[in-house]
Each structure stands twice: as structure tokens, then as C-alpha cells.
Amino acid sequence: SVPRPVSCTECEQMMGFPPGWTELSGEDQRNLDLPWGTDAYLNKRRNAVGNAMAVPVLRRLVLDAVLSTVSGSATMVSGMTKEEYNPI
């Protein structure tokens, strides 16, 4: 059996966004010339979610950075030391 495709709303929820986050407004939709509900429209929405950073991950990274700065601790909430943390 063929698995069903994941809906746009399910994609948004898996990444921590509220339902309908990638829904295009009427004007944006007309500018892209993508009729609502077509495969091209849905693929644009899934692509937008796929290119985003997951909200829970970003929240944790920011929390780690803020708490380690405020507390002056050498170890972040994630257990990583400041020496191990190497942002690009």
C-alpha cells in the first residue's frame, strides 16, 4: 500500500508552527499564480516549512545562549560547554 502524503498542517505542527502558518493570502497567491489546493501550491507550503528551523530547536538554542550568558556558567542547558559550542 502507498503511504498517504503528509498534509501541510501536519508539516507545520511537526515543526512547531501553528496550523495555517504557511497559508498564502489572496494577493500573495495571485502573485505566484498558484491556484489554491493544487499540487504546486501545496508543494510551496511544504517547501516553506522544510526550509524553516523547527521552533522547539530554536527556542532551546536561544534559551541555552541566554541562560549561559546570564548565569556565567561554563555549561549550557544542553550539557555542552562553551568550549564545545562552535557556532559557524
Side-chain angles (χ1 to χ4, degrees):
S1 77
V2 178
R4 74 170 179 82
V6 179
S7 74
C8 294
T9 301
E10 290 169 333
C11 289
E12 292 165 344
Q13 290 173 340
M14 284 188 280
M15 293 293 283
F17 294 110
W21 184 257
T22 59
E23 190 77 44
L24 294 175
S25 68
E27 185 175 329
D28 291 333
Q29 189 174 338
R30 283 189 297 277
N31 290 341
L32 290 174
D33 194 29
L34 296 172
W36 188 89
T38 61
D39 285 342
Y41 174 76
L42 298 175
N43 287 338
K44 279 281 189 199
R45 290 185 65 192
R46 289 187 189 105
N47 194 13
V49 172
N51 287 333
M53 180 174 257
V55 174
V57 173
L58 185 59
R59 185 176 293 134
R60 183 58 183 253
L61 290 173
V62 171
L63 179 66
D64 273 358
V66 169
L67 288 179
S68 67
T69 302
V70 170
S71 69
S73 171
T75 304
M76 297 184 192
V77 175
S78 63
M80 187 181 298
T81 64
K82 288 183 181 180
E83 292 75 28
E84 294 171 330
Y85 179 68
N86 184 19
I88 297 174

